[in-house]
Amino acid sequence: MVNTQAEEQYLQKVYRALKKAEGQLSETLAKGQSSGILALQEMAGDVRLNFDNFADNLDTFAQLEMKNREIDQLNLKQKTAASKLAQVRRLLPQAYFGKVVVDYFDEEEKQSFYIGVNSFNDENENLVYDWRSPVAELFYNNVLGPSAYWANGKKIPVAIDLRRQFVISYDRLKHYFDTHIAIEDDVLLAALGNSASQQMQAITATIQKEQNVIIRDLDHEIILVNGVAGSGKTSTIMQRIAYLLYSLRQEISVDDVLILAPNDKFIQYLAHVLPSLGEKNPRNLTWRKLLAWQLDQPLESEIDYFTRITKSEVDKQTTVLRSQKFAEFVDNASDILQNKNYFQKITVKQKVIIKAETIAEMFATTPKDATFGQRIQSVAVKLRSYWQRRLLKQAQGKAWQDRVLALSETQQQKYFGHLLQDESPKALKKYALRLLQQKYHEIEVAITNFSWLQPAQMLADLYLAYTGERYQAAEVLTVDEATIALLIQHRFIKTSPLATMKYILVDEVQDYTPAQIFLLNQLFTNARFTLVGDYNQAIFNSQTDFTTIGAIFKATKREVIVYDLLNSYRSSGAITATFQQLTAQVDFTIVPVRPKGKKVAVKKLVKLTDLARFLAIEKSVTVITKTQAEADYLTQWWYDQPIMFANENTTKENVTILPISLAKGLEFDHVLLYNASTENYTTEQDRKMLYTATSRGMQELTITYFEELTPLLQFLA
Ligand SMILES: Nc1ncnc2c1ncn2[C@@H]1O[C@H](COP(=O)(O)OP(=O)(O)OP(=O)(O)O)[C@@H](O)[C@H]1O
């Protein structure tokens, strides 16, 4: 009781302080806005714009400058107030979720730290500590007794006397409990009990110990997380980004971080997490988009790529392009490329401006003992100065100088930004040069972009050298071709500007090919990686196992740490037990965190109308199919069906139909697996598909089949 009263009082104190701060900050903002408008009005009215003479000019500029500075300061004040107000508003619904009482082994009283999604100070007291602050680590470590944490590079030994969790709604303390009293984590279970939403939610209040280690790991360059379905891999990387942006705020900004996500739908799914934690979203790309952006070329569409990677067979050429061996071969192909001619002419409007032979001659004059990449860079320099010389020569000639003199006033403004002021031969030469530079701007761009090279030909030659077979280029560059094309570009033509990125976070890493992992390692030499995935979910024909992923990084002397996550948070115990049985490893146990829940239902369908009857009584269900074609067929069928819904609020929109490839990474309350029949699921790859599909379900899982249930799910029969 004493505890409860003290906690109630503390909450009231913090809540009052938050409300007060909200009021004050809102007022500051409103005032700031009106004084901002006032300052602008003054600037327009009071500052007399007098440009009559030199002295007046100076005076007017000085006044404008002063006003500008005032406005800048006001803006800064406004920005700070707005960001503080956002922090306060984030805390109002739940001021904090945790508390640790820490003994510093000194004479002083033990200290209590309340942990929330932000920090909050009232005058000189820290009422709430940010979940990312050093001391908050003690809360997540979830131990009582002797412990330690790191702050400012120093290890601080402490003892933890108490670890408390709270359920708070605004000024109401609904519930709290201490870890050493409750074995079960009520707060976690309550959080997990929530229904699936369209967007991923932050897990700040209930981050678990094994996840916290990954979130806060600043020591390792390459972090590889092998986590079972629903173990919080995606949640962990989102929390980790928020943690990095906070802890390393002096060293990195959001522009130094890149997330590589599996598909566009998934990017939408993540979009809300970081803003809800008060952080901006970093650049978020799919692998395909990264390639298209870096190569500045159109690539096969996302749908085409997914269609290709879900096929059961992979052609020989693609297999080579995806292999680590071929990527290594390309990386070391300097000598092969040296002996060939990859130059092409530079043209403008189909007129040849620089001949391929001219470029080849320049290449021939570069040092033979330099690498291919160095020689190409040297050609680029030569080309630029050759082009400058050519323009200069033309500018000296009468023809271009006459053109300058013939320009109308509007054209003079357009090309030079002012009218011709001097018509001396020297000035005319300068004007002519500027005119030429603008007229032939495309040439400069072509030189800078290395458009005088033929990387596609390099790819074809390297393939031939590696396999002894001719290369068959696809009509539109495929993702697999583009991966090698970017490797060639980065290695021999131009270093990617991405090389400056500091943190790369890759989700669903098991779906990357060895060549893609190889390129990731080459592209981001200065970056630290967090790669998360689950080999049991490697359902595509593009995939790499974790040992190979680790080895690719280790081969370049990068230190790799592997974390395993075995606790599964998403699905009910019954669903978790189902996908546990679908893992390839026998000695491997997935730990369900949620209670058992509803039994997994298995239903035989004779006709599709049986399915219609079942869907008509369900409030909301996500139907997962094996292929896109099956999903398309079923969607068409569903919308053509006359259905009598059991509940008048239910509509056809309550049923979502998705192929496994797109359901990946997402979660749904009730999953219905369509057509788990023997004819549909037999192979090892199919087993992974079943694992992936079933693990999307949170509360309910219904498995349907025609004729005979696949042997892979016989354990449910
Ligand atoms: N510590 C946690 N507290 C509360 N919820 C959690 C926690 N960890 C994970 N979850 C929840 O579990 C679900 C699965 O998390 P997440 O999608 O991050 O897992 P995953 O390992 O990426 O899954 P998968 O590989 O199966 O797609 C989400 O609903 C997430 O909010």
Side-chain angles (χ1 to χ4, degrees), residues 188 192 206 211 229-235 537 570 665 667 696:
L188 173 63
L192 295 175
T206 51
Q211 298 169 329
S231 54
K233 297 179 293 296
T234 309
S235 308
Q537 294 186 61
R570 173 183 298 124
E667 59 192 23
R696 299 308 96 200

Side-chain angles (χ1 to χ4, degrees), residues 26-91:
S26 308
E27 204 176 308
T28 313
L29 273 174
K31 264 197 204 146
Q33 211 162 14
S34 45
S35 42
I37 294 170
L38 210 70
L40 282 175
Q41 279 168 348
E42 275 176 20
M43 187 142 146
D46 293 2
V47 179
R48 206 161 45 84
L49 297 179
N50 187 345
F51 294 106
D52 286 351
N53 58 44
F54 186 64
D56 284 343
N57 272 357
L58 286 184
D59 199 35
T60 308
F61 283 135
Q63 283 188 51
L64 282 175
E65 184 53 33
M66 225 167 75
K67 276 284 158 210
N68 270 337
R69 230 176 291 149
E70 259 174 50
I71 291 175
D72 281 352
Q73 270 175 7
L74 208 77
N75 279 342
L76 190 70
K77 236 169 107 183
Q78 290 288 92
K79 236 173 120 181
T80 319
S83 120
K84 276 200 178 144
L85 182 60
Q87 288 192 0
V88 165
R89 290 201 168 136
R90 255 193 303 278
L91 289 182

Side-chain angles (χ1 to χ4, degrees), residues 391-449:
L391 289 185
L392 255 175
K393 198 162 163 216
Q394 292 215 51
Q396 278 163 342
K398 189 167 172 323
W400 278 90
Q401 296 190 1
D402 284 349
R403 278 205 202 183
V404 169
L405 290 170
L407 292 176
S408 69
E409 290 201 343
T410 325
Q411 287 170 323
Q412 292 173 26
Q413 284 287 3
K414 181 178 151 203
Y415 291 120
F416 315 127
H418 57 76
L419 299 181
L420 288 184
Q421 285 153 349
D422 180 356
E423 294 183 9
S424 66
K426 200 171 151 201
L428 279 180
K429 189 177 110 186
K430 261 197 192 158
Y431 282 125
L433 184 63
R434 280 171 69 180
L435 192 59
L436 277 156
Q437 278 166 339
Q438 291 183 55
K439 201 145 182 327
Y440 289 106
H441 176 66
E442 280 170 57
I443 302 290
E444 301 237 355
V445 174
I447 294 175
T448 315
N449 287 349

Side-chain angles (χ1 to χ4, degrees), residues 24-25 43 63 103 153 170 199 210 252 255 262 293 375 445 519 524 609 615-616 655-656 693 711:
Q24 285 172 341
L25 289 164
M43 187 142 146
Q63 283 188 51
D103 183 350
Y170 294 88
Q199 300 226 287
E210 80 274 8
I252 64 165
D255 298 332
W293 171 42
R375 293 181 72 186
V445 174
L519 177 55
F524 302 103
T609 41
L615 294 177
V655 173
T656 310

Side-chain angles (χ1 to χ4, degrees), residues 188 191-192 200-203 205-208 211 227-236 266 269 507-508 532-534 537 565 568-570 664-667 695-696 698:
L188 173 63
L192 295 175
M200 171 162 243
Q201 307 297 318
I203 57 162
T206 51
I207 290 168
Q208 298 300 293
Q211 298 169 329
V228 300
S231 54
K233 297 179 293 296
T234 309
S235 308
T236 299
F266 198 71
Y269 176 63
D507 206 346
E508 306 273 353
V532 308
D534 176 4
Q537 294 186 61
L565 294 178
S568 186
Y569 298 90
R570 173 183 298 124
K664 232 172 167 237
L666 307 180
E667 59 192 23
S695 60
R696 299 308 96 200
M698 295 171 82

